[in-house]
Amino acid sequence: MAVLIPCYNEEASITSVIRDFQAALPTAAIYVYDNNSKDRTVELAREAGAIVRTEPLQGKGNVVRRMFADVEADVYVMVDGDDTYHAASAPALVSKLVGQHLDMVNGARVTDIAAAYRPGHRFGNMMLTGIVAKIFGNRVADMLSGYRVFSRRFVKSFPALSGGFEIETELTVHALELRMPMSDVSTPYKDRPPGSASKLRTYYDGFRILKLILVLVKEERPLQFFSILAGFLAFVAIVLAWPVVATYMQTGLVPRLPTAVLSTGLMLLGFLSLTCGLILETVTRGRREIKRMQYLRIPAPGIRDPARDSKDKR
């Protein structure tokens, strides 16, 4: 088992996070991946007994990609280094993952502390989680939580393409698209300790997450995306063409030729968009099947691998 802690300037909290998870999961290896911290995060993490590594590419998504690529384990616990998540809940999350053979258990944040979960962040999380639920499936209550437990087959089948805080959205959509067994567990959430500041920029990162959702809709639901675009183009084309057709029916003339050409062009673009959606839907299905086959190569947590067992007996 491995505990993965992405960090950027968390000297005020990293020692407490490491010690809390050492107490909660005494058999787990604690990995701290530093992302160009300017303070004493690295030094304090080493003193607390963590395995410290670095990722020079700035952004949480880049750190998660590196952690998932480097670390080998059967169960992965990922948590932020800001000491806002409840380490004592980790055994319950891990037990649920292994006991029910799940691939992701999400720590859904619960708090009454206003400063811990600001109204703007709370509203943004609800809105973005709702959008993803409508499009990809309503199976996650807190999509932007940084406290999660993963199986090995989730981690090793996850492409990790995001660079920043939108990584949580990508993690959620990956599980929903492959229809992985997953669950939520409510966990206490608290305010940051004194001297620690949030790296999340409410509006900037919120728009980046919204942009990623649109990109994922295009990538994972191309027929729906391009069908909506085709419908919009066709509607505009019909609105523009209607008076031209009416005039032609009355007089036999087409006095507004530019409008007629524009309407024809928009309708052709609409059909072209629909064709792109049909083609990309087939491509997406193939990509999904490949990811699914990679995912199925690794057994679920809590289930023995017969091939590995036979190899060990030899």
Side-chain angles (χ1 to χ4, degrees), residues 139-197:
R139 299 175 60 199
V140 177
D142 184 5
M143 182 187 73
L144 301 182
S145 173
Y147 193 12
R148 304 183 187 221
V149 179
F150 304 105
S151 67
R152 176 178 175 81
R153 63 181 182 176
F154 181 106
V155 167
K156 297 306 179 182
S157 67
F158 178 62
L161 303 177
S162 300
F165 281 105
E166 63 271 28
I167 187 67
E168 281 92 359
T169 304
E170 190 181 0
L171 287 164
T172 301
V173 172
H174 177 69
L176 293 172
E177 277 300 281
L178 291 188
R179 300 178 186 177
M180 295 180 180
M182 55 192 288
S183 182
D184 280 331
V185 172
S186 296
T187 58
Y189 188 67
K190 59 183 178 179
D191 195 10
R192 282 172 167 268
S196 176

Tab-separated table of all heavy atoms in Angstrom, residues 139-197:
chain	number	residue	atom	x	y	z
A	139	ARG	N	-22.641	9.249	-10.015
A	139	ARG	CA	-22.125	8.250	-9.085
A	139	ARG	C	-21.109	8.822	-8.111
A	139	ARG	O	-20.546	8.086	-7.310
A	139	ARG	CB	-21.482	7.092	-9.873
A	139	ARG	CG	-22.459	6.353	-10.790
A	139	ARG	CD	-21.749	5.317	-11.625
A	139	ARG	NE	-21.087	4.329	-10.798
A	139	ARG	CZ	-20.098	3.531	-11.252
A	139	ARG	NH1	-19.673	3.632	-12.491
A	139	ARG	NH2	-19.556	2.655	-10.439
A	140	VAL	N	-20.847	10.124	-8.166
A	140	VAL	CA	-19.868	10.757	-7.281
A	140	VAL	C	-20.498	11.999	-6.664
A	140	VAL	O	-21.035	12.849	-7.377
A	140	VAL	CB	-18.589	11.145	-8.046
A	140	VAL	CG1	-17.614	11.865	-7.130
A	140	VAL	CG2	-17.929	9.919	-8.641
A	141	ALA	N	-20.438	12.106	-5.330
A	141	ALA	CA	-21.056	13.232	-4.634
A	141	ALA	C	-20.137	14.444	-4.545
A	141	ALA	O	-20.614	15.578	-4.471
A	141	ALA	CB	-21.470	12.797	-3.228
A	142	ASP	N	-18.825	14.233	-4.545
A	142	ASP	CA	-17.850	15.328	-4.378
A	142	ASP	C	-16.726	15.114	-5.386
A	142	ASP	O	-15.677	14.568	-5.057
A	142	ASP	CB	-17.322	15.331	-2.939
A	142	ASP	CG	-16.391	16.498	-2.660
A	142	ASP	OD1	-16.230	17.361	-3.544
A	142	ASP	OD2	-15.813	16.536	-1.562
A	143	MET	N	-16.948	15.570	-6.602
A	143	MET	CA	-16.027	15.282	-7.697
A	143	MET	C	-14.648	15.889	-7.489
A	143	MET	O	-13.643	15.354	-7.962
A	143	MET	CB	-16.620	15.798	-9.004
A	143	MET	CG	-15.787	15.518	-10.235
A	143	MET	SD	-16.461	16.320	-11.703
A	143	MET	CE	-16.044	18.044	-11.392
A	144	LEU	N	-14.555	16.997	-6.778
A	144	LEU	CA	-13.290	17.718	-6.651
A	144	LEU	C	-12.534	17.392	-5.371
A	144	LEU	O	-11.582	18.083	-5.018
A	144	LEU	CB	-13.545	19.230	-6.741
A	144	LEU	CG	-14.207	19.715	-8.033
A	144	LEU	CD1	-14.349	21.224	-8.027
A	144	LEU	CD2	-13.419	19.256	-9.257
A	145	SER	N	-12.934	16.348	-4.676
A	145	SER	CA	-12.210	15.946	-3.475
A	145	SER	C	-10.801	15.483	-3.836
A	145	SER	O	-10.583	14.783	-4.829
A	145	SER	CB	-12.961	14.805	-2.778
A	145	SER	OG	-12.192	14.286	-1.703
A	146	GLY	N	-9.840	15.863	-2.992
A	146	GLY	CA	-8.457	15.427	-3.200
A	146	GLY	C	-8.090	14.211	-2.383
A	146	GLY	O	-6.913	13.844	-2.304
A	147	TYR	N	-9.087	13.571	-1.768
A	147	TYR	CA	-8.851	12.418	-0.882
A	147	TYR	C	-9.511	11.197	-1.521
A	147	TYR	O	-10.732	11.058	-1.514
A	147	TYR	CB	-9.475	12.718	0.477
A	147	TYR	CG	-9.085	11.785	1.613
A	147	TYR	CD1	-8.037	10.882	1.509
A	147	TYR	CD2	-9.782	11.850	2.829
A	147	TYR	CE1	-7.695	10.064	2.568
A	147	TYR	CE2	-9.439	11.035	3.896
A	147	TYR	CZ	-8.396	10.139	3.764
A	147	TYR	OH	-8.055	9.313	4.808
A	148	ARG	N	-8.696	10.305	-2.074
A	148	ARG	CA	-9.229	9.152	-2.789
A	148	ARG	C	-8.343	7.929	-2.566
A	148	ARG	O	-7.148	8.048	-2.309
A	148	ARG	CB	-9.317	9.428	-4.298
A	148	ARG	CG	-10.128	10.671	-4.637
A	148	ARG	CD	-10.251	10.861	-6.118
A	148	ARG	NE	-10.877	12.140	-6.419
A	148	ARG	CZ	-11.780	12.339	-7.365
A	148	ARG	NH1	-12.161	11.320	-8.119
A	148	ARG	NH2	-12.301	13.520	-7.592
A	149	VAL	N	-8.958	6.764	-2.709
A	149	VAL	CA	-8.239	5.496	-2.658
A	149	VAL	C	-8.483	4.784	-3.989
A	149	VAL	O	-9.618	4.704	-4.464
A	149	VAL	CB	-8.710	4.626	-1.479
A	149	VAL	CG1	-7.959	3.297	-1.471
A	149	VAL	CG2	-8.494	5.360	-0.164
A	150	PHE	N	-7.401	4.274	-4.587
A	150	PHE	CA	-7.485	3.636	-5.901
A	150	PHE	C	-6.945	2.215	-5.859
A	150	PHE	O	-6.045	1.904	-5.075
A	150	PHE	CB	-6.654	4.412	-6.940
A	150	PHE	CG	-7.017	5.858	-7.073
A	150	PHE	CD1	-6.196	6.841	-6.530
A	150	PHE	CD2	-8.157	6.255	-7.748
A	150	PHE	CE1	-6.505	8.186	-6.661
A	150	PHE	CE2	-8.484	7.590	-7.879
A	150	PHE	CZ	-7.655	8.558	-7.328
A	151	SER	N	-7.456	1.402	-6.753
A	151	SER	CA	-6.865	0.089	-6.981
A	151	SER	C	-5.686	0.237	-7.943
A	151	SER	O	-5.538	1.261	-8.629
A	151	SER	CB	-7.903	-0.858	-7.590
A	151	SER	OG	-8.246	-0.430	-8.902
A	152	ARG	N	-4.876	-0.792	-8.009
A	152	ARG	CA	-3.745	-0.780	-8.936
A	152	ARG	C	-4.228	-0.703	-10.387
A	152	ARG	O	-3.655	0.009	-11.206
A	152	ARG	CB	-2.891	-2.029	-8.734
A	152	ARG	CG	-1.740	-2.149	-9.720
A	152	ARG	CD	-0.895	-3.391	-9.454
A	152	ARG	NE	0.124	-3.555	-10.468
A	152	ARG	CZ	1.287	-2.908	-10.476
A	152	ARG	NH1	1.569	-2.072	-9.499
A	152	ARG	NH2	2.161	-3.090	-11.436
A	153	ARG	N	-5.314	-1.408	-10.699
A	153	ARG	CA	-5.748	-1.423	-12.092
A	153	ARG	C	-6.353	-0.085	-12.511
A	153	ARG	O	-6.349	0.249	-13.699
A	153	ARG	CB	-6.722	-2.568	-12.343
A	153	ARG	CG	-8.036	-2.531	-11.600
A	153	ARG	CD	-8.845	-3.758	-11.967
A	153	ARG	NE	-10.157	-3.762	-11.324
A	153	ARG	CZ	-11.075	-4.707	-11.556
A	153	ARG	NH1	-10.804	-5.693	-12.384
A	153	ARG	NH2	-12.245	-4.660	-10.964
A	154	PHE	N	-6.863	0.696	-11.557
A	154	PHE	CA	-7.280	2.057	-11.900
A	154	PHE	C	-6.051	2.898	-12.260
A	154	PHE	O	-6.013	3.552	-13.300
A	154	PHE	CB	-8.025	2.693	-10.730
A	154	PHE	CG	-8.514	4.100	-11.013
A	154	PHE	CD1	-9.849	4.329	-11.248
A	154	PHE	CD2	-7.634	5.181	-11.037
A	154	PHE	CE1	-10.311	5.621	-11.514
A	154	PHE	CE2	-8.078	6.466	-11.311
A	154	PHE	CZ	-9.423	6.682	-11.551
A	155	VAL	N	-5.065	2.883	-11.382
A	155	VAL	CA	-3.889	3.737	-11.551
A	155	VAL	C	-3.142	3.419	-12.837
A	155	VAL	O	-2.736	4.317	-13.581
A	155	VAL	CB	-2.962	3.587	-10.323
A	155	VAL	CG1	-1.600	4.201	-10.588
A	155	VAL	CG2	-3.609	4.223	-9.096
A	156	LYS	N	-2.974	2.134	-13.133
A	156	LYS	CA	-2.165	1.753	-14.280
A	156	LYS	C	-2.935	1.782	-15.607
A	156	LYS	O	-2.348	1.527	-16.659
A	156	LYS	CB	-1.569	0.362	-14.056
A	156	LYS	CG	-0.621	0.296	-12.852
A	156	LYS	CD	0.478	1.348	-12.933
A	156	LYS	CE	1.396	1.299	-11.721
A	156	LYS	NZ	2.458	2.347	-11.755
A	157	SER	N	-4.229	2.099	-15.553
A	157	SER	CA	-4.981	2.279	-16.791
A	157	SER	C	-5.386	3.735	-16.999
A	157	SER	O	-6.086	4.058	-17.961
A	157	SER	CB	-6.249	1.404	-16.782
A	157	SER	OG	-7.169	1.846	-15.799
A	158	PHE	N	-4.935	4.614	-16.097
A	158	PHE	CA	-5.330	6.022	-16.154
A	158	PHE	C	-4.291	6.818	-16.940
A	158	PHE	O	-3.128	6.879	-16.556
A	158	PHE	CB	-5.459	6.574	-14.736
A	158	PHE	CG	-5.818	8.034	-14.675
A	158	PHE	CD1	-7.009	8.487	-15.201
A	158	PHE	CD2	-4.954	8.949	-14.082
A	158	PHE	CE1	-7.346	9.833	-15.144
A	158	PHE	CE2	-5.283	10.279	-14.015
A	158	PHE	CZ	-6.482	10.730	-14.550
A	159	PRO	N	-4.684	7.487	-18.055
A	159	PRO	CA	-3.687	8.185	-18.885
A	159	PRO	C	-3.152	9.477	-18.283
A	159	PRO	O	-2.047	9.900	-18.627
A	159	PRO	CB	-4.458	8.465	-20.176
A	159	PRO	CG	-5.895	8.467	-19.794
A	159	PRO	CD	-6.029	7.487	-18.664
A	160	ALA	N	-3.891	10.154	-17.414
A	160	ALA	CA	-3.442	11.383	-16.733
A	160	ALA	C	-2.937	12.425	-17.721
A	160	ALA	O	-1.744	12.657	-17.851
A	160	ALA	CB	-2.348	11.051	-15.702
A	161	LEU	N	-3.849	13.081	-18.391
A	161	LEU	CA	-3.496	14.074	-19.403
A	161	LEU	C	-3.557	15.508	-18.886
A	161	LEU	O	-2.997	16.404	-19.505
A	161	LEU	CB	-4.432	13.935	-20.616
A	161	LEU	CG	-4.448	12.553	-21.284
A	161	LEU	CD1	-5.466	12.528	-22.415
A	161	LEU	CD2	-3.068	12.189	-21.791
A	162	SER	N	-4.216	15.737	-17.770
A	162	SER	CA	-4.368	17.094	-17.240
A	162	SER	C	-3.085	17.575	-16.586
A	162	SER	O	-2.261	16.780	-16.135
A	162	SER	CB	-5.515	17.139	-16.219
A	162	SER	OG	-6.732	16.751	-16.814
A	163	GLY	N	-2.950	18.914	-16.513
A	163	GLY	CA	-1.756	19.472	-15.915
A	163	GLY	C	-1.960	20.103	-14.558
A	163	GLY	O	-1.012	20.222	-13.785
A	164	GLY	N	-3.196	20.534	-14.249
A	164	GLY	CA	-3.432	21.268	-13.022
A	164	GLY	C	-4.495	20.653	-12.128
A	164	GLY	O	-4.641	19.428	-12.056
A	165	PHE	N	-5.283	21.538	-11.471
A	165	PHE	CA	-6.276	21.075	-10.504
A	165	PHE	C	-7.455	20.352	-11.163
A	165	PHE	O	-8.261	19.731	-10.463
A	165	PHE	CB	-6.813	22.260	-9.678
A	165	PHE	CG	-5.884	22.693	-8.588
A	165	PHE	CD1	-5.142	23.848	-8.703
A	165	PHE	CD2	-5.748	21.925	-7.443
A	165	PHE	CE1	-4.281	24.250	-7.698
A	165	PHE	CE2	-4.883	22.317	-6.425
A	165	PHE	CZ	-4.150	23.481	-6.548
A	166	GLU	N	-7.544	20.410	-12.486
A	166	GLU	CA	-8.626	19.693	-13.161
A	166	GLU	C	-8.404	18.191	-13.182
A	166	GLU	O	-9.225	17.432	-13.705
A	166	GLU	CB	-8.812	20.227	-14.582
A	166	GLU	CG	-7.624	20.049	-15.505
A	166	GLU	CD	-6.630	21.197	-15.476
A	166	GLU	OE1	-6.524	21.865	-14.425
A	166	GLU	OE2	-5.955	21.414	-16.487
A	167	ILE	N	-7.301	17.721	-12.586
A	167	ILE	CA	-7.000	16.292	-12.559
A	167	ILE	C	-8.097	15.498	-11.857
A	167	ILE	O	-8.405	14.359	-12.245
A	167	ILE	CB	-5.622	16.042	-11.885
A	167	ILE	CG1	-5.211	14.571	-11.996
A	167	ILE	CG2	-5.637	16.495	-10.433
A	167	ILE	CD1	-4.933	14.115	-13.394
A	168	GLU	N	-8.725	16.076	-10.808
A	168	GLU	CA	-9.793	15.357	-10.112
A	168	GLU	C	-10.973	15.062	-11.044
A	168	GLU	O	-11.587	14.006	-10.970
A	168	GLU	CB	-10.278	16.151	-8.884
A	168	GLU	CG	-9.387	16.033	-7.666
A	168	GLU	CD	-8.345	17.136	-7.609
A	168	GLU	OE1	-8.331	17.973	-8.543
A	168	GLU	OE2	-7.550	17.168	-6.646
A	169	THR	N	-11.282	16.022	-11.918
A	169	THR	CA	-12.351	15.803	-12.892
A	169	THR	C	-11.990	14.666	-13.833
A	169	THR	O	-12.821	13.800	-14.146
A	169	THR	CB	-12.601	17.093	-13.695
A	169	THR	OG1	-12.898	18.162	-12.804
A	169	THR	CG2	-13.758	16.910	-14.668
A	170	GLU	N	-10.744	14.650	-14.282
A	170	GLU	CA	-10.306	13.592	-15.198
A	170	GLU	C	-10.340	12.225	-14.512
A	170	GLU	O	-10.729	11.224	-15.131
A	170	GLU	CB	-8.893	13.897	-15.707
A	170	GLU	CG	-8.467	12.987	-16.846
A	170	GLU	CD	-7.059	13.283	-17.334
A	170	GLU	OE1	-6.413	14.199	-16.796
A	170	GLU	OE2	-6.596	12.579	-18.257
A	171	LEU	N	-9.949	12.166	-13.250
A	171	LEU	CA	-10.013	10.911	-12.500
A	171	LEU	C	-11.453	10.391	-12.434
A	171	LEU	O	-11.715	9.207	-12.647
A	171	LEU	CB	-9.482	11.119	-11.081
A	171	LEU	CG	-7.969	11.302	-10.915
A	171	LEU	CD1	-7.649	11.879	-9.542
A	171	LEU	CD2	-7.239	9.989	-11.121
A	172	THR	N	-12.382	11.297	-12.148
A	172	THR	CA	-13.783	10.905	-12.015
A	172	THR	C	-14.349	10.418	-13.340
A	172	THR	O	-15.005	9.370	-13.403
A	172	THR	CB	-14.613	12.095	-11.499
A	172	THR	OG1	-14.094	12.505	-10.228
A	172	THR	CG2	-16.073	11.715	-11.357
A	173	VAL	N	-14.092	11.156	-14.419
A	173	VAL	CA	-14.643	10.780	-15.727
A	173	VAL	C	-14.026	9.469	-16.208
A	173	VAL	O	-14.704	8.647	-16.841
A	173	VAL	CB	-14.410	11.915	-16.743
A	173	VAL	CG1	-14.786	11.471	-18.160
A	173	VAL	CG2	-15.221	13.148	-16.351
A	174	HIS	N	-12.761	9.235	-15.898
A	174	HIS	CA	-12.119	7.969	-16.274
A	174	HIS	C	-12.859	6.786	-15.645
A	174	HIS	O	-13.146	5.795	-16.316
A	174	HIS	CB	-10.661	7.983	-15.824
A	174	HIS	CG	-9.924	6.712	-16.084
A	174	HIS	ND1	-9.605	6.273	-17.355
A	174	HIS	CD2	-9.429	5.755	-15.238
A	174	HIS	CE1	-8.951	5.120	-17.287
A	174	HIS	NE2	-8.839	4.792	-16.011
A	175	ALA	N	-13.180	6.912	-14.358
A	175	ALA	CA	-13.902	5.831	-13.675
A	175	ALA	C	-15.317	5.672	-14.224
A	175	ALA	O	-15.803	4.545	-14.407
A	175	ALA	CB	-13.956	6.115	-12.171
A	176	LEU	N	-15.983	6.787	-14.514
A	176	LEU	CA	-17.354	6.714	-15.025
A	176	LEU	C	-17.399	6.135	-16.434
A	176	LEU	O	-18.296	5.347	-16.762
A	176	LEU	CB	-17.985	8.112	-15.003
A	176	LEU	CG	-18.238	8.727	-13.624
A	176	LEU	CD1	-18.683	10.171	-13.758
A	176	LEU	CD2	-19.262	7.917	-12.856
A	177	GLU	N	-16.447	6.515	-17.267
A	177	GLU	CA	-16.464	6.051	-18.656
A	177	GLU	C	-16.175	4.558	-18.767
A	177	GLU	O	-16.730	3.880	-19.628
A	177	GLU	CB	-15.442	6.842	-19.487
A	177	GLU	CG	-15.958	8.168	-19.976
A	177	GLU	CD	-17.182	8.009	-20.865
A	177	GLU	OE1	-17.024	7.671	-22.043
A	177	GLU	OE2	-18.309	8.205	-20.371
A	178	LEU	N	-15.300	4.033	-17.915
A	178	LEU	CA	-15.014	2.597	-17.937
A	178	LEU	C	-15.975	1.818	-17.037
A	178	LEU	O	-15.845	0.604	-16.901
A	178	LEU	CB	-13.565	2.339	-17.501
A	178	LEU	CG	-12.487	2.796	-18.480
A	178	LEU	CD1	-11.107	2.316	-18.026
A	178	LEU	CD2	-12.754	2.317	-19.888
A	179	ARG	N	-16.942	2.534	-16.442
A	179	ARG	CA	-17.954	1.915	-15.579
A	179	ARG	C	-17.317	1.074	-14.482
A	179	ARG	O	-17.716	-0.061	-14.211
A	179	ARG	CB	-18.915	1.076	-16.420
A	179	ARG	CG	-19.643	1.881	-17.477
A	179	ARG	CD	-20.549	1.023	-18.329
A	179	ARG	NE	-21.112	1.820	-19.418
A	179	ARG	CZ	-21.897	1.316	-20.371
A	179	ARG	NH1	-22.206	0.027	-20.367
A	179	ARG	NH2	-22.371	2.093	-21.328
A	180	MET	N	-16.297	1.643	-13.855
A	180	MET	CA	-15.594	0.952	-12.783
A	180	MET	C	-16.461	0.896	-11.527
A	180	MET	O	-17.235	1.815	-11.261
A	180	MET	CB	-14.285	1.673	-12.446
A	180	MET	CG	-13.266	1.679	-13.549
A	180	MET	SD	-11.776	2.559	-13.004
A	180	MET	CE	-10.748	2.421	-14.459
A	181	PRO	N	-16.315	-0.156	-10.721
A	181	PRO	CA	-16.989	-0.172	-9.420
A	181	PRO	C	-16.359	0.879	-8.506
A	181	PRO	O	-15.139	0.905	-8.336
A	181	PRO	CB	-16.755	-1.593	-8.914
A	181	PRO	CG	-15.566	-2.087	-9.662
A	181	PRO	CD	-15.590	-1.410	-10.992
A	182	MET	N	-17.179	1.750	-7.949
A	182	MET	CA	-16.670	2.863	-7.158
A	182	MET	C	-17.701	3.239	-6.104
A	182	MET	O	-18.856	2.813	-6.160
A	182	MET	CB	-16.360	4.066	-8.062
A	182	MET	CG	-17.550	4.493	-8.913
A	182	MET	SD	-17.134	5.650	-10.220
A	182	MET	CE	-16.816	7.125	-9.266
A	183	SER	N	-17.259	4.030	-5.131
A	183	SER	CA	-18.160	4.413	-4.048
A	183	SER	C	-17.664	5.686	-3.390
A	183	SER	O	-16.506	6.088	-3.561
A	183	SER	CB	-18.253	3.291	-3.003
A	183	SER	OG	-19.149	3.626	-1.973
A	184	ASP	N	-18.555	6.334	-2.638
A	184	ASP	CA	-18.222	7.500	-1.827
A	184	ASP	C	-18.222	7.111	-0.349
A	184	ASP	O	-19.007	6.263	0.074
A	184	ASP	CB	-19.247	8.619	-2.022
A	184	ASP	CG	-19.007	9.415	-3.292
A	184	ASP	OD1	-17.850	9.516	-3.714
A	184	ASP	OD2	-19.987	9.934	-3.849
A	185	VAL	N	-17.358	7.740	0.420
A	185	VAL	CA	-17.371	7.622	1.881
A	185	VAL	C	-17.259	9.034	2.444
A	185	VAL	O	-16.334	9.778	2.093
A	185	VAL	CB	-16.213	6.747	2.396
A	185	VAL	CG1	-16.142	6.816	3.913
A	185	VAL	CG2	-16.363	5.311	1.943
A	186	SER	N	-18.196	9.413	3.276
A	186	SER	CA	-18.157	10.749	3.876
A	186	SER	C	-17.002	10.845	4.861
A	186	SER	O	-16.820	9.974	5.719
A	186	SER	CB	-19.477	11.043	4.599
A	186	SER	OG	-20.547	11.067	3.674
A	187	THR	N	-16.209	11.916	4.729
A	187	THR	CA	-15.055	12.111	5.610
A	187	THR	C	-15.046	13.542	6.147
A	187	THR	O	-15.401	14.481	5.415
A	187	THR	CB	-13.727	11.858	4.857
A	187	THR	OG1	-13.646	12.752	3.733
A	187	THR	CG2	-13.654	10.432	4.365
A	188	PRO	N	-14.631	13.735	7.392
A	188	PRO	CA	-14.555	15.101	7.942
A	188	PRO	C	-13.537	15.936	7.169
A	188	PRO	O	-12.526	15.420	6.668
A	188	PRO	CB	-14.096	14.872	9.385
A	188	PRO	CG	-14.469	13.453	9.689
A	188	PRO	CD	-14.318	12.708	8.399
A	189	TYR	N	-13.818	17.210	7.078
A	189	TYR	CA	-12.956	18.154	6.368
A	189	TYR	C	-12.754	19.366	7.264
A	189	TYR	O	-13.707	19.878	7.853
A	189	TYR	CB	-13.619	18.562	5.050
A	189	TYR	CG	-12.759	19.385	4.129
A	189	TYR	CD1	-11.626	18.848	3.526
A	189	TYR	CD2	-13.091	20.707	3.836
A	189	TYR	CE1	-10.846	19.602	2.664
A	189	TYR	CE2	-12.319	21.475	2.978
A	189	TYR	CZ	-11.195	20.919	2.392
A	189	TYR	OH	-10.420	21.671	1.539
A	190	LYS	N	-11.504	19.816	7.386
A	190	LYS	CA	-11.222	20.899	8.316
A	190	LYS	C	-10.455	22.019	7.639
A	190	LYS	O	-10.014	21.895	6.483
A	190	LYS	CB	-10.404	20.358	9.505
A	190	LYS	CG	-9.074	19.720	9.107
A	190	LYS	CD	-8.358	19.138	10.314
A	190	LYS	CE	-7.045	18.462	9.899
A	190	LYS	NZ	-6.313	17.902	11.058
A	191	ASP	N	-10.292	23.111	8.357
A	191	ASP	CA	-9.595	24.273	7.834
A	191	ASP	C	-8.094	24.014	7.797
A	191	ASP	O	-7.564	23.175	8.535
A	191	ASP	CB	-9.901	25.485	8.701
A	191	ASP	CG	-9.505	26.785	8.020
A	191	ASP	OD1	-9.181	26.747	6.828
A	191	ASP	OD2	-9.536	27.837	8.689
A	192	ARG	N	-7.407	24.764	6.945
A	192	ARG	CA	-5.952	24.665	6.883
A	192	ARG	C	-5.323	25.176	8.183
A	192	ARG	O	-5.884	26.055	8.846
A	192	ARG	CB	-5.409	25.518	5.733
A	192	ARG	CG	-5.571	24.895	4.359
A	192	ARG	CD	-5.185	25.898	3.281
A	192	ARG	NE	-5.039	25.235	1.990
A	192	ARG	CZ	-3.900	24.747	1.511
A	192	ARG	NH1	-2.802	24.836	2.237
A	192	ARG	NH2	-3.851	24.168	0.329
A	193	PRO	N	-4.153	24.661	8.550
A	193	PRO	CA	-3.470	25.167	9.746
A	193	PRO	C	-2.938	26.571	9.505
A	193	PRO	O	-2.780	27.002	8.361
A	193	PRO	CB	-2.327	24.155	9.938
A	193	PRO	CG	-2.075	23.601	8.579
A	193	PRO	CD	-3.408	23.558	7.904
A	194	PRO	N	-2.650	27.320	10.572
A	194	PRO	CA	-2.092	28.670	10.417
A	194	PRO	C	-0.790	28.641	9.611
A	194	PRO	O	0.044	27.761	9.781
A	194	PRO	CB	-1.840	29.112	11.865
A	194	PRO	CG	-2.778	28.283	12.679
A	194	PRO	CD	-2.873	26.960	11.987
A	195	GLY	N	-0.648	29.615	8.724
A	195	GLY	CA	0.542	29.693	7.898
A	195	GLY	C	0.439	28.955	6.583
A	195	GLY	O	1.355	29.009	5.760
A	196	SER	N	-0.684	28.262	6.357
A	196	SER	CA	-0.881	27.524	5.116
A	196	SER	C	-1.944	28.226	4.283
A	196	SER	O	-2.982	28.624	4.800
A	196	SER	CB	-1.321	26.081	5.419
A	196	SER	OG	-1.594	25.379	4.224
A	197	ALA	N	-1.679	28.376	2.979
A	197	ALA	CA	-2.612	29.063	2.084
A	197	ALA	C	-3.004	28.158	0.933
A	197	ALA	O	-2.189	27.366	0.433
A	197	ALA	CB	-1.976	30.351	1.544
